[in-house]
Amino acid sequence: MIPLMLDLMGRRVLIFGGGDVGARKAAYFEHEAEVTVISRSFSPALDGLAIRRQKADLSTLADEALEGLLQDAFLAVAATSDPGLNDRIGRMCAERGILFNNAAGEPGDVTIPSVVRGRNYLVAISTRGKSPAVSRYLRMQLEAEYADLDLMIDLQDEVRSMLKEIEPVQAKRSRALWSILGDEEIWRMLASDYDRARAMAIERYLHA
């Protein structure tokens, strides 16, 4: 598998199964796609999510009915407690070219990673299903270690624009930006005063 960033705006994502696992999958996609959760019952964890609910007893549905549910889907997630049912949904998706993630059963062609998300960045972590705990651990470490990463990205963006105006040599621009990234005092200052961190970066690396 290779990592990709997909724009799911306006795309239809189906979650089969309304339990806690289905709720976690729905929460992952709710702000990025048109999400429908299909199940005979729904976990309270789904309350408040920007999703549609569709009642159906998936275990009793004929193939034709399942095919109807899959119509126009871009991605489907099988999150029921029945691996056999999940695999059945996966086979239908494969036949129709629909991306598929399987929470329990035969692996699909999509893995849903653990995500670290900021205003300016998105980091996805996967252990290919071998250790969700490690994925979560890495996510928590990144969130703790780089709590001010959004501000550093803002600063880098500002300084990069300034450097383009005053420094014609790309190698020197790159060196200045890397120096700011490696300056621990600037990182500490970002946590309390962005303007002072910005002034420090300019004084140290643009007027050198």
Side-chain angles (χ1 to χ4, degrees), residues 61-122:
L61 288 184
D63 285 354
E64 293 77 11
L66 274 175
E67 289 167 3
L69 293 174
L70 287 167
Q71 191 170 355
D72 299 326
F74 180 76
L75 184 150
V77 177
T80 79
S81 58
D82 181 351
L85 173 57
N86 292 345
D87 293 345
R88 181 180 165 216
I89 295 168
R91 288 191 294 271
M92 289 186 173
C93 288
E95 291 168 0
R96 290 156 184 77
I98 298 169
L99 295 175
F100 178 67
N101 170 261
N102 198 348
E106 297 173 2
D109 49 14
V110 172
T111 296
I112 297 177
S114 184
V115 167
V116 186
R117 188 189 306 267
R119 282 186 296 107
N120 297 316
Y121 68 93
L122 181 67

Side-chain angles (χ1 to χ4, degrees), residues 8-15 21-37 44-53 75 77 112 117:
L8 295 182
M9 186 66 66
R11 301 284 193 174
R12 189 166 181 242
V13 173
L14 302 180
I15 313 290
V21 174
R24 287 198 300 272
K25 306 289 187 178
Y28 183 86
F29 289 106
E30 67 159 330
H31 297 299
E32 314 298 336
E34 296 177 0
V35 178
T36 299
V37 177
L46 288 161
D47 295 346
L49 297 185
I51 61 163
R52 289 182 60 244
R53 303 182 189 210
L75 184 150
V77 177
I112 297 177
R117 188 189 306 267

Side-chain angles (χ1 to χ4, degrees), residues 140-159:
M140 293 170 68
Q141 289 292 107
L142 286 169
E143 287 172 340
E145 185 71 20
Y146 295 102
D148 300 304
L149 185 56
D150 269 318
L151 294 173
M152 176 56 81
I153 294 172
D154 288 336
L155 178 60
Q156 288 275 314
D157 186 42
E158 270 201 87
V159 172

